[in-house]
Amino acid sequence: MGTVILHSVMSVDGFIADDKDGVGPLHDWYFSGDTPILDEASRFRVSAASAAYVRPMWASIGTIVIGRHLFDLTNGWEGKPPAGDHVVVVSHRPKPEGWHPEASYHFAGDVATAIAKARELAGERTVAVNAGDVGGQALAAGLVDEVAIDVVPVVFGSGKRFFGAVDSQHLLDDPHVVIQGDRVLHLAYRVRR
């Protein structure tokens, strides 16, 4: 089985979006460099240091796990996952009727079921769990192997927390990834068991 990584871009004060789901400058670093992440035609252009980190991370992803709120906000990226081949949505509501029937999107009623399905779909590849409430629930349930944070130098003051409403302590190892990009710091920590 592949690694389960809780991952997102975050403000230095711990938020993945503001109170109205706006991301402000959190994703600006994806478009501020001269090195394409995917190919020369890619609109994602970052620093060389960020590209060296992001390329293999994105390539390793087999399945993404998100909450229904993000699915609704993005309309599920119109059935095309931003990375990987599959998306599992944690939701008590089913996939919208007639919504992109060709897309490999699966709906699960709880986080444990979603992670199990995502691992099955990903095989040996990585399962990327989006930060926020779903990511926090997965961490609290002991289902996360690693936490990866792209820290952007902005302070939101309030908003949607990286770990959602986690109300218990979880220990992480020292970071095994520390990469300074342009307007972003990439960090990755293994979760202590």
Side-chain angles (χ1 to χ4, degrees), residues 65-77:
V65 177
I66 64 173
R68 182 61 182 248
H69 186 68
L70 181 58
F71 174 84
D72 289 342
L73 281 174
T74 63
N75 193 30
W77 302 288

Side-chain angles (χ1 to χ4, degrees), residues 20-187:
K20 297 179 181 173
D21 295 316
V23 294
L26 286 180
H27 296 177
D28 288 356
W29 66 274
Y30 279 120
F31 311 100
S32 65
D34 56 5
T35 306
I37 293 176
L38 304 171
D39 57 38
E40 285 302 320
S42 174
R43 62 187 185 110
F44 295 111
R45 293 184 175 270
V46 298
S47 68
S50 288
Y53 170 70
V54 173
R55 279 183 190 140
M57 176 185 253
W58 284 10
S60 74
I61 296 171
T63 306
I64 297 174
V65 177
I66 64 173
R68 182 61 182 248
H69 186 68
L70 181 58
F71 174 84
D72 289 342
L73 281 174
T74 63
N75 193 30
W77 302 288
E78 298 300 330
K80 295 176 181 77
D85 301 317
H86 315 279
V87 174
V88 178
V89 181
V90 180
S91 177
H92 296 295
R93 293 179 285 144
K95 182 173 14 176
E97 192 171 322
W99 182 88
H100 296 282
E102 76 290 352
S104 183
Y105 279 57
H106 308 267
F107 286 65
D110 61 76
V111 170
T113 304
I115 298 294
K117 181 64 175 178
R119 291 186 89 140
E120 173 191 323
L121 292 166
E124 295 300 316
R125 295 178 71 197
T126 299
V127 172
V129 182
N130 196 70
D133 287 331
V134 166
Q137 290 173 34
L139 178 68
L143 302 171
V144 173
D145 301 311
E146 187 173 309
V147 174
I149 306 170
D150 300 321
V151 182
V152 174
V154 63
V155 174
F156 275 14
S158 66
K160 311 290 177 143
R161 298 183 56 77
F162 185 93
F163 294 103
V166 168
D167 61 359
S168 56
Q169 185 180 68
H170 300 274
L171 293 177
L172 308 176
D173 287 336
D174 288 335
H176 65 92
V177 172
V178 179
I179 298 171
Q180 182 175 339
D182 182 20
R183 305 291 300 159
V184 64
L185 177 63
H186 306 286
L187 301 169

